[in-house]
Amino acid sequence: MFWRERAQIAGPILTADLKETETMPEIQMREAIRQAMDEEMARDGNVFLLGEEVGQYNGAYKVSKGLLDKYGERRVLDTPIAELGFTGLAVGAASVGLRPIVEWMTFNFALLALDQVVNNAAKLRHMSGGQLKVPIVFRGGNGPAEYLSSQHSQALQSYFVHVPGIKVISPSTPYDAKGLLKTAIRDDNPVVMFESEMTYGLTGEVPEEEYLIPFGKADIKRQGSDVTIISFSKPVHMVLKAAEVLAEMGIDAEVVDLRSLRPLDEKTIYASVAKTNRAVIVDEAWPMASVGSHVGWLISRNCFDDLDAPVELVASEDVPMPYNHTLELAVQPTVEKIVAAVKRVSYKE
């Protein structure tokens, strides 16, 4: 499948080349994330999970199903609906040697815990002169869903990408989710993992062998020669559909999945743009001060002589998310909007 064809695998214990097999199981995104947590909890007794409904309810999206029964209440902790409180508890635990995984039911609720993430988790190592490590993972559902209106349907990556001291990942496939999360749990720094609520049921091939995916490595999901389309998380699948439509028009699109937002794989971005001479970025967040707008600036600054057209950004409209489903879909990126942007940079309108 496309996410396996050019997957970048690395790690101290793993295979640098997983072989193509006919028996590789297909599992849902939620199961890939659960496997990563399960394997790391089994490997390291300092790893524990806490959050709202992660235990007895098996997680709001059933991501932690079975972990309470397997590891018990000391390592799978149901918390009150108090994000600032249990996030602060986890930051303290990380600073004394434990490895917490904090599940926010949704990143919309993570806004209540920003002080602990930005002023404590991200800065303790710096402010202690390296004496303290903060090996903690913050994860949960993010981005537009359906019928959730403006307070519960937001893509908030740029809030965290903005902050030095935090690593940020946002996978689009089960394969990437498992490999990136295992890397995150082993990292000695705070890592934020954004999981699209709409992709928990997405299925994809995930090898049974253990593997890690390093941070700072984008993945080319589709090779192309005419235009580079850059995205991450759920919109990657929309971009791949747009690439099929464009192929019928005679436009060969290369699709770059960032996967890691901080650190960012600028090398892969620039190499792709140098090959195609055109760039379209797709980000389901608002356009101002977003990951997409930052990548657009990087390309305009560092690939200026390679570009044959201005960089295009396809983002959500700069409005709160409507509740009405027709309007909700209208404000987000679509295949049609992506195709139109590619036609503009290709001067084929």
Side-chain angles (χ1 to χ4, degrees):
M1 302 298 286
F2 63 83
W3 53 83
R4 191 166 46 124
E5 289 171 357
R6 289 185 53 81
Q8 316 229 8
I9 305 166
I13 59 174
L14 286 166
T15 90
D17 24 59
L18 293 175
K19 303 299 182 183
E20 292 283 330
T21 69
E22 297 299 325
T23 59
M24 192 177 293
E26 284 207 7
I27 62 175
Q28 290 185 338
M29 178 79 83
R30 58 170 56 89
E31 173 63 14
I33 297 169
R34 189 201 66 80
Q35 281 186 9
M37 293 192 294
D38 187 9
E39 291 173 12
E40 293 305 303
M41 291 175 76
R43 188 185 69 86
D44 185 346
N46 288 322
V47 178
F48 70 99
L49 172 68
L50 73 163
E52 297 142 330
E53 300 183 346
V54 298
Q56 293 185 11
Y57 191 67
N58 289 312
Y61 301 99
K62 307 307 176 190
V63 172
S64 55
K65 184 177 181 180
L67 295 183
L68 175 63
D69 293 338
K70 186 171 183 177
Y71 295 103
E73 294 181 352
R74 289 178 63 86
R75 295 186 66 194
V76 181
L77 286 70
D78 279 320
T79 66
I81 303 175
E83 289 79 13
L84 178 64
F86 68 76
T87 299
L89 182 153
V91 173
S95 69
V96 295
L98 298 179
R99 291 185 174 271
I101 304 168
V102 176
E103 179 176 311
W104 293 315
M105 188 181 296
T106 162
F107 267 86
N108 300 280
F109 302 160
L111 297 179
L112 297 165
L114 270 181
D115 179 53
Q116 289 292 346
V117 179
V118 173
N119 284 324
N120 290 319
K123 297 182 175 67
L124 281 176
R125 193 165 191 173
H126 167 76
M127 295 177 70
S128 69
Q131 296 180 78
L132 293 176
K133 297 178 181 178
V134 189
I136 187 170
V137 176
F138 305 103
R139 47 160 296 271
N142 175 66
E146 290 185 318
Y147 306 103
L148 294 180
S149 193
S150 55
Q151 291 183 338
H152 291 73
S153 202
Q154 306 172 105
L156 300 175
Q157 293 93 334
S158 59
Y159 277 62
F160 298 87
V161 171
H162 184 64
V163 182
I166 300 175
K167 299 179 181 180
V168 183
I169 53 179
S170 190
S172 66
T173 67
Y175 178 92
D176 289 346
K178 182 176 181 180
L180 287 167
L181 181 54
K182 287 174 70 71
T183 300
I185 294 170
R186 299 185 192 190
D187 200 291
D188 285 336
N189 300 284
V191 180
V192 179
M193 177 161 151
F194 288 89
E195 305 156 10
S196 170
E197 295 182 19
M198 298 297 289
T199 63
Y200 281 125
L202 177 87
T203 60
E205 292 180 334
V206 175
E208 295 179 341
E209 299 92 342
E210 185 178 46
Y211 67 99
L212 304 175
I213 296 176
F215 299 153
K217 294 290 184 182
D219 188 36
I220 299 178
K221 292 291 195 276
R222 184 186 192 277
Q223 293 279 352
S225 58
D226 295 332
V227 61
T228 297
I229 311 179
I230 300 164
S231 192
F232 57 91
S233 193
K234 181 185 71 177
V236 168
H237 302 280
M238 188 182 300
V239 169
L240 288 163
K241 291 179 181 177
E244 294 176 4
V245 175
L246 290 165
E248 296 175 358
M249 301 177 180
I251 300 175
D252 187 20
E254 180 151 293
V255 178
V256 178
D257 182 356
L258 295 177
R259 301 195 299 192
S260 174
L261 307 182
R262 186 181 183 111
L264 189 66
D265 185 0
E266 295 182 36
K267 182 178 179 181
T268 294
I269 295 170
Y270 301 155
S272 180
V273 174
K275 178 172 70 171
T276 68
N277 308 117
R278 294 172 173 84
V280 173
I281 303 152
V282 182
D283 186 346
E284 63 183 351
W286 299 300
M288 185 173 289
S290 66
V291 173
S293 62
H294 177 67
V295 172
W297 171 76
L298 286 173
I299 294 171
S300 297
R301 179 181 183 273
N302 296 304
C303 301
F304 183 80
D305 292 335
D306 293 315
L307 289 170
D308 288 340
V311 177
E312 284 276 343
L313 172 62
V314 179
S316 285
E317 299 298 328
D318 198 20
V319 297
M321 183 64 69
Y323 175 74
N324 177 277
H325 190 52
T326 300
L327 294 176
E328 182 181 52
L329 295 175
V331 303
Q332 297 178 55
T334 63
V335 170
E336 293 74 20
K337 291 179 182 179
I338 297 167
V339 169
V342 171
K343 289 172 69 177
R344 285 194 294 273
V345 301
S346 303
Y347 302 113
K348 292 190 177 182
E349 283 189 298

